[in-house]
Structure formats: structure tokens, C-alpha cells
Amino acid sequence: MIDLYTWTTPNGRKISIMLEETGLPYRVIPVDLGKQAQFEPQFTAINPNQKIPAIVDHEVGGGPLAVFESGAILIHLADKTRRFLPSDPRARATTIQWLMYQMSHVGPIIGQAGHFVNQAAEKIPYAIQRFVGESLRIVGVLNTALEGRDYLAGEYSIADIATYPWIVAAWQPFQNMMPDKVAEFGNVRRWLDRVAARPAVERGMAVPSPG
């Protein structure tokens, strides 16, 4: 059994999608960010960085294993199940590079764009222009990578699982702001539809369930 500490964010949904894809048994433990539950001592003991997601894997030799950072969790689960991360060195490197691209570019930059557009008390034009513009550049890189292929690393992998929730979250807002620019990303649009059609993705995106 795996305990999944999560909330309704793109980073949290990466892991619930992966768990649904692999069929591993898991228990959802909601960490209500609105109530600042991530700062409670019980959760801090699992993730000292006080961010979701985190897991505790109870099926590892030597006792329960706590893992935080969504990319690290995805690699752990992929290695555990031998799914969605190829063993071939070239294919594995390609998959991990796109996973790291999501971790270092897609999530952080789109997250900052969302903050300055939707949450910041003061609207700072430079910050909005900077992060929205960079977000669109980053999506453009994905669009180029998806030219002539169904998935980021060729085969469906943890790279797609990590990236999908973030692009879903950003797609409609960006389309509302810059429809002509977003219209250029046809490869990403087709990829979104392709990933969304997977039943495990639909289930994982609904975790934790409302209420």
C-alpha cells in the first residue's frame, strides 16, 4: 500500500495519474492547502519542504519509505513497477530529460504566470509579460518536440504524466489571453486530447475527489 499525500494541483495530479496507470494500491490523504495543512508536523515529517505531493511506500524492504518531489516519486514508482520509464539507456535518458524539463521549466514558469495573473495583490505588468511570454515559449518547445510523434519521449511515459496536468491547467487561460498564439500549438492540442483519452488519466485527475 502507498499513502499519497496530495491536493487538487497539477503536481499532486501527476502522482495520482501514475498510481492509476500502474494499478498500485494506494490511499489518498488530502492535504488541504487552503487550510495550510502542509505545515502540520505530521506532514512536515514526511516532506520537510512542506509541499505536496509526497508518498509513503509501505512495500519497501527496511520499512516504510517516504518520498517527496513529484519527479522523484514518478521515477520511484516507474522503477518499482517497471512501467513508463524505459530500461534502454537512450530511451530512458530521453524520458528523464523531458521529465526534468517539466520540473525545471513547465511547472515553475507556468506556476509563476498563474500567480502574477490571478493571485498577486498588485498587478505587475512586467512580471505578467515576463512569465506569460516565457510560458508560451516553453509550450512552443513542447510543440516542436511533439512534431511527428504521439508522446514526448516517443512512447507514453512519466514525462507525459508529469507534463499533462500543467498544460491542461494553463491551456484555457492562455487561449483566452492569446488565442492566435495558442492556435500555433496544434501538436500540443492533439497530445492533450490523446493523453486525456486514457481512462487512468481521467481517474487520476479527479483525485482527491470533491468533499
Side-chain angles (χ1 to χ4, degrees), residues 31 42 63 80 84 92 97 134 136 138 141 161 173 176 187 198:
V31 180
Q42 178 185 3
K80 181 184 181 74
F84 307 117
R92 184 181 178 92
Q97 79 176 0
E134 182 64 2
L136 292 171
I138 285 167
V141 172
I161 291 170
N176 292 341
N187 295 330
R198 298 179 68 91

Side-chain angles (χ1 to χ4, degrees), residues 152-205:
L152 288 169
E155 299 294 329
Y156 182 71
S157 71
I158 56 174
D160 304 289
I161 291 170
T163 306
Y164 174 79
W166 277 101
I167 303 302
V168 165
W171 192 259
Q172 192 60 52
F174 287 163
Q175 196 167 44
N176 292 341
M177 294 172 67
M178 298 181 178
D180 292 342
K181 184 64 177 178
V182 173
E184 299 174 8
F185 303 144
N187 295 330
V188 173
R189 173 73 271 176
R190 287 184 288 274
W191 169 81
L192 284 172
D193 292 342
R194 193 173 296 118
V195 177
R198 298 179 68 91
V201 171
E202 183 178 4
R203 294 193 301 270
M205 288 291 287

Side-chain angles (χ1 to χ4, degrees), residues 58-137:
H58 294 276
E59 298 178 344
V60 178
L65 171 66
V67 185
F68 64 91
E69 288 297 320
S70 58
I73 297 170
L74 288 172
I75 292 172
H76 170 72
L77 296 176
D79 286 341
K80 181 184 181 74
T81 60
R82 299 182 181 179
R83 298 188 67 190
F84 307 117
L85 179 57
S87 58
D88 172 77
R90 289 181 182 273
R92 184 181 178 92
T94 300
T95 301
I96 290 177
Q97 79 176 0
W98 285 111
L99 173 64
M100 295 301 107
Y101 183 76
Q102 188 285 308
M103 298 291 295
S104 61
H105 295 283
V106 175
I109 298 301
I110 289 178
Q112 289 296 321
H115 172 78
F116 283 107
V117 170
N118 300 314
Q119 297 174 327
E122 179 185 356
K123 299 301 181 184
I124 305 172
Y126 172 78
I128 293 172
Q129 182 179 9
R130 168 77 175 89
F131 287 109
V132 170
E134 182 64 2
S135 295
L136 292 171
R137 186 195 70 80

